[in-house]
Amino acid sequence: MPSDKSIASLSKKIDDLIELVNHLYGEIKDLKRELKSLQRENAQMKEKLSKYEHPKNSNNSSVPPSKDENRPFKSKSLRKKTGRKPGGQKGREGKTLQMVSDPDKIIDHSPDYCKCCGLELGSIPGILVGRRQEIDIPPITPVVTEHRVYEKQCNCGHVTKSSFPGGITAPVSYGSMIESLTGYFHSRQYIPFLRMQELFRDIFSVPISEGGIHYLLNRFSSKALPVYHKIKDMITTSSTVGTDETGGRLNGKKIWIWT
């Protein structure tokens, strides 16, 4: 049997090993906490660096253009401060809707019975005591005009055929008013083709394709070409020419447009 001395020695070694294990276990816990902290810091650094390696902007994400880092600086107003509050100033002449003397439609509203005794008032003439006018737009419906050509045979035997008006070259085509509105919506109001389709369909009940809009714009621009050349000639021969420089962005790059 082992002696008491050897048992005591083994017991001390076991205690030392237990103490060492507890110490190492504590260090492992500390290292794990430190590792988690470093992992969090690493993730945060990666997120920050990703903004510079692959920055998000209005071209590759849902970030609005106003948040682009390289967006053009907002121009400052050149107006001088007047010290006055914004909005209408005292003493200014106000503008309001005015009644017209010859309305397109008149609706008379007369009482049918007495609100006191209930007597019928239909046979009693009324006295005008008030007027109010309402301005509105009537329902818009397209007008389809059919052009028909005829031929007639003269007593001499010759057959004469009439001609379609100028511009009526297809079995079905759009008229000058739709052509003018297309040019106005596109060149003045800057309405995209798809929204212009919706506008013609929903407001005017006129179906039109993107190709149809493109065709009408080309037709309209060809009519304006003589005026364009006249303006160009006037600018070319003018002693003074005014220009405008406008900044913009195209495919993420800054561009300049001179007009």
Side-chain angles (χ1 to χ4, degrees), residues 99-103 131 133:
M99 282 190 171
V100 298
S101 58
D102 53 344
R131 295 186 305 131
Q133 294 182 350

Side-chain angles (χ1 to χ4, degrees), residues 229-241:
H229 287 307
K230 184 177 181 180
I231 295 174
K232 183 179 179 181
D233 293 339
M234 292 175 64
I235 294 175
T236 304
T237 57
S238 176
S239 59
T240 305
V241 178

Side-chain angles (χ1 to χ4, degrees), residues 60-253:
N60 58 18
S61 68
S62 59
V63 174
S66 60
K67 298 296 182 181
D68 287 345
E69 293 185 359
N70 297 324
R71 68 184 186 279
F73 290 104
K74 186 177 180 180
S75 58
K76 294 183 179 180
S77 175
L78 299 178
R79 293 193 306 173
K80 296 181 180 179
K81 292 185 178 181
T82 61
R84 295 181 297 181
K85 294 181 179 180
Q89 305 299 316
K90 290 183 178 180
R92 71 182 182 91
E93 183 180 354
K95 293 185 178 180
T96 185
L97 291 175
Q98 300 293 331
M99 282 190 171
V100 298
S101 58
D102 53 344
D104 301 293
K105 186 178 181 181
I106 296 176
I107 300 177
D108 293 323
H109 303 275
S110 297
D112 298 323
Y113 61 91
C114 177
K115 291 184 178 180
C116 179
C117 66
L119 182 67
E120 196 270 330
L121 302 175
S123 60
I124 300 177
I127 300 173
L128 180 63
V129 293
R131 295 186 305 131
R132 292 180 182 178
Q133 294 182 350
E134 177 187 36
I135 302 174
D136 206 349
I137 297 176
I140 302 174
T141 56
V143 177
V144 179
T145 302
E146 181 173 283
H147 297 270
R148 299 178 179 181
V149 295
Y150 294 88
E151 62 181 16
K152 295 183 179 181
Q153 185 174 7
C154 179
N155 292 333
C156 69
H158 180 75
V159 176
T160 302
K161 182 180 178 181
S162 60
S163 301
F164 287 105
I168 308 298
T169 58
V172 181
S173 60
Y174 296 108
S176 58
M177 183 59 70
I178 293 179
E179 177 186 313
S180 301
L181 285 174
T182 303
Y184 173 75
F185 291 150
H186 176 73
S187 302
R188 177 58 181 167
Q189 299 301 332
Y190 310 106
I191 300 178
F193 280 22
L194 184 60
R195 287 174 55 194
M196 202 184 304
Q197 279 184 278
E198 295 177 0
L199 191 152
F200 273 110
R201 182 190 66 230
D202 299 340
I203 305 299
F204 302 107
S205 300
V206 174
I208 188 170
S209 65
E210 290 189 29
I213 294 174
H214 189 267
Y215 169 77
L216 288 177
L217 289 174
N218 285 338
R219 195 171 81 180
F220 185 79
S221 62
S222 64
K223 293 180 180 179
L225 203 58
V227 179
Y228 169 80
H229 287 307
K230 184 177 181 180
I231 295 174
K232 183 179 179 181
D233 293 339
M234 292 175 64
I235 294 175
T236 304
T237 57
S238 176
S239 59
T240 305
V241 178
T243 60
D244 179 68
E245 182 182 61
T246 304
R249 298 189 70 80
L250 179 64
N251 297 327
K253 296 181 180 180

Side-chain angles (χ1 to χ4, degrees), residues 31-59:
L31 289 172
K32 283 184 176 180
R33 283 195 296 268
E34 186 176 354
L35 177 61
K36 288 183 178 180
S37 177
L38 291 173
Q39 286 175 337
R40 283 195 299 268
E41 290 181 7
N42 186 37
Q44 292 173 357
M45 292 299 296
K46 283 184 176 180
E47 184 179 356
K48 290 181 179 179
L49 289 174
S50 65
K51 295 180 180 179
Y52 298 97
E53 293 176 353
H54 305 288
K56 290 184 178 181
N57 52 49
S58 58
N59 294 317

